[in-house]
Amino acid sequence: MQGGPAPVNEQTAPGRVGDVRRRNLSLVLDSIARTGEGKPSRAQLAAGTGLTKAAVSSLVADLVESGLVSEVGLYRDGERGRPGQGLELSARRGVVGMEINVDYLAVGLVDLGGNLRFHSTVESRNRGLAPEKVMERLGGLADEAIAAAAAADISILGGGLAVPGLVDEQRNLVLSAPNLHWEHEALNPQDLLEGAPLGVRLSNEANSAALGELWYGAGRPDFLYVSGEVGVGGGVIIGSELYTGPGGSAGELGHIVVHPDGPACSCGGAGCLETFAGQEAIFEAAGIPEGSLGGRTELLLAALVAREPRATRAVHDAGRYLGVALASSARLMDIEAVVLGGHFAVLAEWLRPALLSSLERYAPGLLDPGNLTVSALEHSGTLLGAAGQVIRSVIESPFEFLLASKLA
């Protein structure tokens, strides 16, 4: 995680002391978050932030009292002096990450340190279902996460809900999710976690997965995350920040036209990447019969291992057309790295040769093969990113959380 607020001296800074304290609370909490497993002491925080030891001690006291920070162990800052107590983001505070996709639902409980404490995924055919019905099903999974949190003595601060479509976060509105057959559908995500002080934040699935990769995965400052599900999505990270564009739709990789005379797409266009490299497109081209997602994936992998021509050709073509889309993206956005997630990660071994060949043909030298990687987060990236957005909001504005806690 890059950047962070600069320190302000509470004694000499102009303006209200309260504003200065807000900024410095964020500075200290952000510094603790960035050290990961380092567990800095108060003295180390003072040295790293430029604040006085007295100021740091006062700020840390508030953060510990609120439950956002925990004291752990004893650490010696140098050869002399008393050892200091280490500090870390609390494992007793958590956020619930949730995901609605076309053929499954998932939830995860993530503590403030980014550890996935509970994870559950169930297959669910959500295409064409009313949002109310899908939310009802998701509510059952959310209840499991709530129970897991109670069993682990974790207080839930809020939640993040990711969906495979364009969203208006402020109005809790799904603007367009073609693969779900949802258009301008209002959701009530707050109902999933009643009483959570920070509520539930709505987001796009691919963008959340990209943020999960940024914060808890590869951590590169600049990359394109490619989400492979029934649809194909993309999340653009530039300077360690998510780029969504003026209208919030940047990164719609699945709807780049890769074959002008290709088949019709759910978006209303034709020849989009999704029609060749989406999950359903690959299954159909490979001759995999209808069934559960897990069962179909196993059949596809078995066919690839056996080098069955139809399956091999389907994945080869998906890789080739993905390469065409990435070549265009590399030229347009000057991207240096790509991270593959979803079924692209599962199929990477068979997909990669055709993908690299396509990139070399259409964008020679623009993307180093070593910078084309597979996400190590497996199926938890979206959940981590959805939850992580709420966690980052706390780190960036802890004063508001402290105030809400005192008023509650």
Side-chain angles (χ1 to χ4, degrees):
M1 300 179 189
Q2 306 296 314
V8 180
N9 189 313
E10 296 185 15
Q11 302 301 319
T12 62
R16 295 181 300 171
V17 171
D19 292 337
V20 174
R21 190 167 186 80
R22 290 177 190 228
R23 186 176 180 85
N24 287 342
L25 274 168
S26 178
L27 173 64
V28 169
L29 190 57
D30 184 71
S31 297
I32 294 171
R34 290 175 190 279
T35 57
E37 299 180 359
K39 300 177 178 58
S41 67
R42 290 166 174 77
Q44 289 171 329
L45 286 173
T49 61
L51 295 169
T52 65
K53 291 183 179 179
V56 167
S57 293
S58 175
L59 295 165
V60 167
D62 280 350
L63 294 171
V64 170
E65 182 183 359
S66 72
L68 295 179
V69 168
S70 298
E71 297 175 308
V72 289
L74 292 174
Y75 295 85
R76 188 173 297 278
D77 296 333
E79 294 183 1
R80 296 185 176 184
R82 294 179 300 174
Q85 205 156 24
L87 301 165
E88 66 178 3
L89 295 181
S90 176
R92 295 295 182 89
R93 297 290 185 272
V95 174
V96 178
M98 296 170 279
E99 180 183 4
I100 294 172
N101 223 301
V102 179
D103 46 17
Y104 67 86
L105 300 170
V107 300
L109 175 65
V110 184
D111 67 28
L112 293 188
N115 303 298
L116 189 61
R117 307 288 294 274
F118 171 82
H119 185 194
S120 179
T121 301
V122 296
E123 293 197 14
S124 175
R125 298 194 176 189
N126 301 317
R127 190 196 303 269
L129 282 184
E132 295 81 8
K133 182 63 176 178
V134 176
M135 293 291 281
E136 181 182 339
R137 292 180 177 180
L138 183 61
L141 280 184
D143 288 344
E144 292 182 20
I146 293 170
D153 194 24
I154 297 174
S155 296
I156 295 175
L157 304 184
L161 171 59
V163 299
L166 301 179
V167 303
D168 181 334
E169 178 188 335
Q170 301 303 318
R171 296 188 291 165
N172 288 324
L173 189 67
V174 178
L175 299 175
S176 177
N179 289 312
L180 287 172
H181 297 171
W182 290 2
E183 294 290 331
H184 283 83
E185 296 286 359
L187 303 181
N188 292 304
Q190 317 309 325
D191 293 346
L192 297 168
L193 298 175
E194 291 185 7
L198 300 181
V200 178
R201 179 172 180 170
L202 187 64
S203 64
N204 169 267
E205 169 262 330
N207 287 342
S208 290
L211 289 171
E213 192 67 32
L214 171 69
W215 294 326
Y216 308 113
R220 290 175 178 268
D222 304 280
F223 65 92
L224 171 64
Y225 180 89
V226 183
S227 170
E229 303 289 348
V230 170
V232 176
V236 184
I237 301 295
I238 300 175
S240 296
E241 299 287 342
L242 177 68
Y243 176 74
T244 60
S249 61
E252 284 291 290
L253 189 75
H255 300 293
I256 289 179
V257 177
V258 295
H259 192 314
D261 299 317
C265 181
S266 62
C267 73
C272 298
L273 173 63
E274 192 171 290
T275 64
F276 296 98
Q279 185 174 275
E280 288 298 319
I282 294 174
F283 283 149
E284 183 177 347
I288 304 299
E290 291 291 331
S292 69
L293 174 59
R296 299 179 86 189
T297 300
E298 287 181 7
L299 287 174
L300 177 59
L301 291 174
L304 291 170
V305 170
R307 298 183 180 180
E308 293 184 6
R310 191 171 175 184
T312 301
R313 171 54 60 181
V315 174
H316 176 276
D317 286 348
R320 179 164 66 92
Y321 284 115
L322 178 57
V324 172
L326 291 179
S328 298
S329 300
R331 291 192 182 280
L332 183 64
M333 297 187 294
D334 191 29
I335 58 172
E336 295 182 347
V338 173
V339 179
L340 302 178
H343 68 254
F344 294 133
V346 175
L347 300 174
E349 177 183 344
W350 298 275
L351 194 81
R352 189 179 176 89
L355 171 53
L356 291 178
S357 177
S358 192
L359 279 171
E360 184 57 30
R361 179 178 180 184
Y362 299 112
L366 285 188
L367 189 63
D368 188 317
N371 288 338
L372 178 67
T373 59
V374 172
S375 174
L377 298 179
E378 297 182 343
H379 298 293
S380 63
T382 298
L383 297 176
L384 287 167
Q389 292 174 72
V390 180
I391 293 171
R392 287 305 306 173
S393 74
V394 174
I395 292 172
E396 292 167 3
S397 301
F399 184 87
E400 282 70 16
F401 174 77
L402 267 61
L403 182 62
S405 299
K406 290 178 180 179
L407 293 176

